Amino acid sequence: MEKNYDVIIIGAGPAGLSAGIYASRAGLETLIIEKKIPGGQAAITEHLENYPGYFQQGNGAELMKRMKDHATHYGCLFARDEVLSLELQDGLKLLRGKKHNYVSRAVIVAVGSKPRELGVPGEKELSGKGVSYCATCDADLFQDLELVVVGSGNAAVEEAIYLARFAARVTIVSVHNSGNLDAEGITSERAMKHPRIEFIWESVVDEITGEESVEAVAVKNLKTGNRDRVKADGVFIYVGSVPQTGFLQSVLELSHSGHIETDEKMETGLLGVFAAGDVRRKPVRQVVTAAADGAVAAVAAEKHIRQHNYYRQQIQDRKGPLVLLFWSPLNQDSIDLIPVVEEFAREHSNKFDFLKVCVDRERLISEKFNVETVPQLLLVNREDVLTRASGEISPSRMEDILTIARRE
Amino acid sequence: MLEINKDNFQEQVLDSPDLVVVDFWSPKCEPCMELKPHLEQLAAKYSQVKFCELNIIPNRRTALNQKVFGLPAIVFYRQGKKVAELTREFEIEDVEAKLKELTE
């Protein structure tokens, strides 16, 4: 039998590590499963200048190492494995990995994304032969050589500035009109003023050529359709990213781009399954937003686990009939009903147990019994609903409940 | 693993009659750093094979001469010739599979 964790986090990027810190500090048994290096894409980012409080002191790898140490310090465990599938079984989550299987009560999907490929001829063939997606890895090889950077976002422009420290010339190919980049203003300005950075606007790279290594790229102007050959010893591609959510396709609804839809608590359509970081459908994908998602997801997961425990204790492990009054502090009728039902329950405490359930707080019990409106009065035996009364609950309705409870 | 450089690359790698595995790496390359301990395990397991590591930062020319344009890169040599190469997207399992194939 596999060890049963409270929370399993898939992915050790900033979202996963932040979730790991919050979950383990909350006393949850927490495991982070990562197939590659902890730190995710942030770990291969040289210029990380917008994480609050972290500047002029190091690169993405250093920050990610600190996050990992932080999580480990609070007892978070790590496993190196690749998760292949997720299944739900009796409220538990079963994860099948390449090496082992894992069981937990909540799952946080923080698998992040990987660089999107351009999908042009020559890209695959010359990958690692001058076509690169990692400036920190390969910049040193291109000292005094000529480089092309494809993309217009923060990653493209920041890495172009980094590459210009080594290369003789860096040419950024952007689809946008002259002077328009998607990167932050301060970064764009720095690139435009840089003596070794040039721009080709309104254009795309539609072919990469070279024998043993990259020799040139074909740049096509989107307006005129003209194609030019631009000499390059290396091409660095930063055209966004694709979420690594393929393994979830059969259990979760994904957007057309493969991202996961969540609510503001990071909860997905599956109870107890949360998503955080770049895998989510959201407008800003940065280290700081990933870390924030991780914190929110961990707090929500903890709440879910508490509700899960409560449900097991109060419903699944109970013997004999139970009357449940579902109420909400926002519904006066349901509040008024509490003393009435409490009195009724006291009178007949030898016939049934009584529990009042706040629908806003105890979402799990409410969902399990399909309670959408309040007040509702249910007579249940474990998970079986024997009778249900909703709306105006009259004394005669309560007598009916008593009759049924007597029979049980 | 034997640390080599531009001055002894010829002697240690190209002049060697037997299989030599060279790990082209850089301390700035996170995937390279991640791979390193696993490569060391392989080096211990396949003790009959010579494992070398070359830091590309002080030995950039050597790397480019060997047509290494992206890291991490693991290159296999025999009798001074490149016989196989793994670059960018590969796992330690791929390195071992290649080793098995070349030592059989």
Side-chain angles (χ1 to χ4, degrees):
Chain A
M1 183 65 199
E2 293 89 1
K3 182 175 159 57
N4 202 329
Y5 291 92
D6 291 324
V7 187
I8 290 180
I9 298 158
I10 316 172
L17 291 171
S18 160
I21 292 166
Y22 275 78
S24 46
R25 270 176 62 86
L28 300 177
E29 279 218 57
T30 310
L31 174 74
I32 300 185
I33 304 175
E34 168 62 52
K35 68 171 174 178
K36 287 201 144 169
I37 48 169
Q41 288 212 88
I44 58 164
T45 305
E46 178 64 26
H47 274 234
L48 191 68
E49 296 183 339
N50 49 13
Y51 191 81
Y54 190 82
F55 65 112
Q56 295 176 342
Q57 47 188 307
N59 50 24
E62 173 61 27
L63 178 64
M64 290 306 108
K65 198 186 155 295
R66 288 197 204 173
M67 282 195 195
K68 193 198 170 201
D69 292 347
H70 194 164
T72 306
H73 178 77
Y74 287 107
C76 182
L77 299 171
F78 286 82
R80 196 187 155 113
D81 200 349
E82 180 174 355
V83 176
L84 302 173
S85 72
L86 163 69
E87 275 170 53
L88 269 66
Q89 215 172 77
D90 302 326
L92 289 175
K93 279 81 192 163
L94 309 182
L95 298 171
R96 267 172 232 295
K98 247 185 189 165
K99 297 180 190 160
H100 301 287
N101 294 334
Y102 308 86
V103 182
S104 67
R105 290 189 284 164
V107 163
I108 299 173
V109 180
V111 291
S113 50
K114 60 177 187 185
R116 195 160 78 79
E117 292 176 1
L118 270 182
V120 301
E123 182 181 19
K124 275 218 158 63
E125 296 81 348
L126 293 164
S127 169
K129 291 287 160 196
V131 173
S132 177
Y133 307 83
C134 177
T136 50
C137 300
D138 301 336
D140 288 275
L141 289 165
F142 296 97
Q143 186 97 42
D144 303 325
L145 299 180
E146 298 198 11
L147 296 177
V148 163
V149 170
V150 187
S152 311
N154 264 329
V157 181
E158 282 172 2
E159 299 302 76
I161 295 169
Y162 174 69
L163 289 165
R165 274 169 40 187
F166 303 85
R169 187 173 62 183
V170 176
T171 304
I172 298 179
V173 178
S174 166
V175 290
H176 296 307
N177 293 338
S178 178
N180 286 309
L181 291 167
D182 298 322
E184 289 168 278
I186 183 170
T187 308
S188 301
E189 219 170 279
R190 212 186 301 160
M192 291 194 213
K193 281 188 188 148
H194 199 291
R196 285 190 302 285
I197 297 180
E198 288 172 16
F199 290 87
I200 299 178
W201 301 103
E202 297 176 327
S203 298
V204 292
V205 166
D206 70 357
E207 192 182 2
I208 301 167
T209 54
E211 284 295 320
E212 281 182 296
S213 64
V214 171
E215 290 164 18
V217 297
V219 176
K220 185 179 157 191
N221 186 295
L222 293 171
K223 274 225 174 101
T224 63
N226 286 345
R227 271 177 108 223
D228 279 324
R229 188 176 180 275
V230 176
K231 188 187 166 299
D233 301 295
V235 188
F236 286 76
I237 297 168
Y238 293 98
V239 290
S241 53
V242 273
Q244 307 189 73
T245 48
F247 73 106
L248 293 168
Q249 236 162 14
S250 59
V251 286
L252 266 184
E253 203 173 314
L254 304 173
S255 76
H256 66 94
S257 54
H259 292 99
I260 302 171
E261 190 86 46
T262 71
D263 62 13
E264 61 181 10
K265 292 178 197 144
M266 308 299 140
E267 199 155 12
T268 69
L270 288 179
L271 209 60
V273 178
F274 305 83
D278 280 7
V279 289
R280 279 181 63 223
R281 205 167 83 85
K282 60 175 186 173
V284 183
R285 293 199 176 85
Q286 292 284 302
V287 177
V288 64
T289 60
D293 282 3
V296 175
V299 170
E302 187 208 352
K303 216 172 251 178
H304 169 81
I305 290 165
R306 189 185 54 72
Q307 291 181 0
H308 193 87
N309 283 344
Y310 187 74
Y311 182 76
R312 201 180 50 215
Q313 283 166 11
Q314 296 293 346
I315 307 293
Q316 290 174 314
D317 293 349
R318 189 184 290 272
K319 289 180 183 70
L322 170 70
V323 167
L324 293 167
L325 172 64
F326 290 90
W327 72 288
S328 161
L330 304 172
N331 181 297
Q332 191 58 44
D333 288 349
S334 72
I335 295 170
D336 293 344
L337 205 58
I338 295 172
V340 180
V341 180
E342 272 176 346
E343 178 57 30
F344 170 69
R346 241 195 315 277
E347 274 173 36
H348 307 285
S349 60
N350 55 338
K351 305 287 184 310
F352 55 82
D353 292 335
F354 170 66
L355 187 69
K356 63 177 200 285
V357 180
C358 170
V359 288
D360 304 312
R361 199 173 135 83
E362 303 301 343
R363 240 189 87 198
L364 185 70
I365 293 192
S366 308
E367 277 189 32
K368 289 268 188 189
F369 289 112
N370 297 315
V371 172
E372 277 161 14
T373 59
V374 288
Q376 274 197 47
L377 199 59
L378 267 70
L379 177 67
V380 303
N381 198 336
R382 295 231 173 92
E383 291 176 292
D384 299 328
V385 179
L386 303 172
T387 185
R388 179 194 299 257
S390 58
E392 214 167 294
I393 295 163
S394 62
S396 71
R397 230 12 225 112
M398 280 162 47
E399 284 304 316
D400 292 346
I401 287 172
L402 187 60
T403 315
I404 298 168
R406 277 204 181 106
R407 268 190 252 133
E408 276 296 305
Chain B
M1 288 208 286
L2 178 69
E3 209 181 310
I4 54 169
N5 56 49
K6 53 183 179 288
D7 299 322
N8 61 9
F9 189 86
Q10 177 73 33
E11 175 200 341
Q12 291 293 347
V13 180
L14 301 180
D15 293 347
S16 172
D18 303 316
L19 184 66
V20 184
V21 181
V22 183
D23 168 27
F24 290 87
W25 70 287
S26 141
K28 294 184 204 168
C29 163
E30 281 300 313
C32 302
M33 301 311 283
E34 173 68 10
L35 207 57
K36 226 166 224 335
H38 302 286
L39 279 174
E40 267 154 21
Q41 283 173 6
L42 275 190
K45 189 171 164 188
Y46 292 81
S47 54
Q48 78 277 23
V49 177
K50 185 169 173 183
F51 278 75
C52 300
E53 54 176 329
L54 183 95
N55 179 351
I56 60 107
I57 293 180
N59 303 292
R60 195 177 62 86
R61 279 274 149 227
T62 310
L64 292 181
N65 286 340
Q66 293 305 311
K67 306 287 177 207
V68 169
F69 295 93
L71 300 185
I74 307 291
V75 186
F76 301 78
Y77 294 88
R78 185 175 267 152
Q79 292 169 347
K81 280 205 186 73
K82 205 187 254 193
V83 287
E85 177 172 17
L86 294 166
T87 181
R88 206 170 85 81
E89 290 243 309
F90 63 88
E91 305 286 336
I92 191 69
E93 290 81 10
D94 302 322
V95 182
E96 183 159 17
K98 200 42 98 184
L99 259 177
K100 272 191 185 143
E101 182 191 318
L102 292 170
T103 50
E104 255 167 20

